[in-house]
Amino acid sequence: MNIITIIMSAGKASVDVALYTLIPIMVVMLFIMKYLEVKGVLDFVVRHSTPLLKPLGITGLALFALIQLNFVSFAAPLAALAIMEKRGTSDRHMAATLAMLFAMGQANAFYPLIPAGLNWSAALLISICGGVLAAAATYHCFGRKLSDTALLNEDEAVANNESKMGLIAIINSAGADAIRLALGSLPMLILSLSVVGILKESGGIEMLTRLVSPLLDKLNISEVYILPALTKCLAGGTAYYGVVAGLVEKGLYSAHNINASAGLLIQTFDLPGIGIFLGLSSRFPRLFRFAVPGIILGIALRGVAHAMLF
């Protein structure tokens, strides 16, 4: 096993993700968010929706992140998170938002699987329910010791917005922020993909498969889920879709398999997802440990719901 080769391969894959996935999506989404912010639409939505969402531990900006994750891509909520970080959202609300995002499904896995038989409407509804449960549990239980005070005066931050920015200035600002945030996610992404490569080359994945198989037999769960599950946890949603598409083409994975496992396997709580999201801000790794129990609870709800329905 050549460790240097594995690290270089992980670095190349990470740069590809940053350059060809994160930056394009984030430039567009940050432009939209900044444009809405400059025009006052963002503040209007936040001002009127936050009081309604407060019992769930979700802010108005977190609502944008929810929509972006479920309808655009796993990378789209980074734009909303960047705005929340800029405005100094409290630790408690930020931990709840992270829990919500990690527990929900991602559009870049949902949409491609619809032709293969995914029940998109049920998956979307269950995804949102799981995310909301994760956020509420983190805010009211697991993260209750975190500060509920905003790091900045949000009203002051709104008042100080550059409301006279022109369209070109907004585009340039969004582009600069997208590049900075995407590059900031590279270290954790490289580390996570390096771990994946080392596990593959050392036979760790085969060993995990052998260890898990007897347990699955006792629980009467088909072994067909092992490869998609390991791929999802170690390599992310895009790799998961690639594996599932191959299994479907070979007739080894049915629409029932896709729907029954969607609650557990279509989410952003995987190594690449953790690397990308936690690399966005220096305080996110500290808040992550408070979000993990809520994430597990939200994913568990989704898993049970899918198993019962399908």
Side-chain angles (χ1 to χ4, degrees):
M1 180 173 63
N2 191 328
I3 299 293
I4 301 301
T5 302
I6 292 172
I7 294 173
M8 291 179 65
S9 177
K12 183 179 182 300
S14 300
V15 171
D16 286 344
V17 169
L19 289 180
Y20 304 116
T21 300
L22 296 183
I23 289 180
I25 292 173
M26 288 179 65
V27 166
V28 174
M29 295 311 301
L30 273 171
F31 165 72
I32 294 171
M33 295 292 287
K34 284 179 177 288
Y35 185 80
L36 293 177
E37 183 180 26
V38 167
K39 295 301 180 182
V41 177
L42 204 61
D43 298 318
F44 177 83
V45 173
V46 170
R47 189 164 51 249
H48 289 83
S49 63
T50 296
L52 299 175
L53 299 171
K54 192 173 182 180
L56 302 174
I58 303 172
T59 65
L61 281 170
L63 180 62
F64 277 97
L66 181 152
I67 294 169
Q68 290 168 337
L69 180 64
N70 284 281
F71 290 93
V72 183
S73 165
F74 79 97
L78 295 174
L81 287 175
I83 299 291
M84 292 175 71
E85 179 69 5
K86 177 182 131 185
R87 293 192 171 195
T89 299
S90 71
D91 284 350
R92 196 172 174 188
H93 279 108
M94 192 64 86
T97 302
L98 287 173
M100 177 187 75
L101 294 176
F102 278 120
M104 288 193 300
Q106 54 199 97
N108 57 293
F110 276 156
Y111 292 132
L113 288 174
I114 293 175
L118 176 70
N119 188 324
W120 177 76
S121 57
L124 178 65
L125 179 61
I126 294 171
S127 170
I128 294 173
C129 290
V132 169
L133 174 64
T138 301
Y139 184 83
H140 293 291
C141 299
F142 309 119
R144 64 183 181 279
K145 293 182 180 179
L146 292 171
S147 172
D148 201 17
T149 305
L151 303 183
L152 300 174
N153 185 322
E154 190 162 332
D155 292 331
E156 183 179 337
V158 172
N160 288 337
N161 279 336
E162 298 179 32
S163 56
K164 295 184 180 179
M165 285 180 67
L167 187 62
I168 299 300
I170 295 173
I171 294 172
N172 289 336
S173 175
D177 285 347
I179 293 171
R180 175 178 57 81
L181 295 171
L183 294 180
S185 70
L186 276 177
M188 292 196 71
L189 189 55
I190 291 172
L191 286 174
S192 64
L193 292 183
S194 296
V195 170
V196 173
I198 291 170
L199 282 173
K200 284 182 178 178
E201 292 298 321
S202 64
I205 293 181
E206 289 78 6
M207 184 178 69
L208 284 172
T209 302
R210 288 196 300 271
L211 290 173
V212 171
S213 294
L215 177 62
L216 293 181
D217 289 339
K218 291 182 179 180
L219 296 175
N220 198 28
I221 299 175
S222 173
E223 290 186 6
V224 74
Y225 295 114
I226 294 178
L227 181 58
L230 290 177
T231 303
K232 169 60 186 172
C233 292
L234 298 175
T238 302
Y240 161 79
Y241 166 69
V243 168
V244 168
L247 292 174
V248 169
E249 189 175 341
K250 294 175 183 177
L252 301 175
Y253 214 73
S254 65
H256 167 74
N257 296 134
I258 292 172
N259 285 294
S261 63
L264 288 175
L265 299 185
I266 303 180
Q267 27 77 11
T268 57
F269 192 46
D270 49 51
L271 277 178
I274 291 171
I276 290 170
F277 277 84
L278 299 193
L280 194 65
S281 169
S282 58
R283 64 171 169 148
F284 284 5
R286 173 175 59 85
L287 300 178
F288 181 64
R289 64 187 180 92
F290 295 97
V292 168
I295 296 168
I296 294 172
L297 188 61
I299 294 175
L301 170 69
R302 294 182 58 216
V304 171
H306 274 271
M308 292 178 65
L309 281 175
F310 303 102

Coordinates of all heavy atoms in Angstrom, one line a residue, residues 16 103 185 255:
D16 N -11.0 18.3 -7.5 CA -12.0 18.2 -8.5 C -13.4 18.5 -7.9 O -14.2 19.2 -8.5 CB -12.1 16.7 -9.0 CG -10.9 16.4 -10.0 OD1 -10.3 17.4 -10.4 OD2 -10.6 15.3 -10.2
A103 N -29.1 15.5 8.8 CA -30.1 14.4 8.9 C -31.0 14.3 7.7 O -31.6 13.3 7.5 CB -30.9 14.7 10.2
S185 N -12.7 24.2 2.6 CA -13.2 22.9 2.9 C -12.2 21.8 2.5 O -12.4 20.6 2.8 CB -14.5 22.6 2.2 OG -14.4 22.6 0.8
A255 N -36.6 -1.1 -7.0 CA -37.2 0.1 -6.5 C -37.5 -0.1 -5.0 O -37.4 0.9 -4.2 CB -38.4 0.4 -7.3

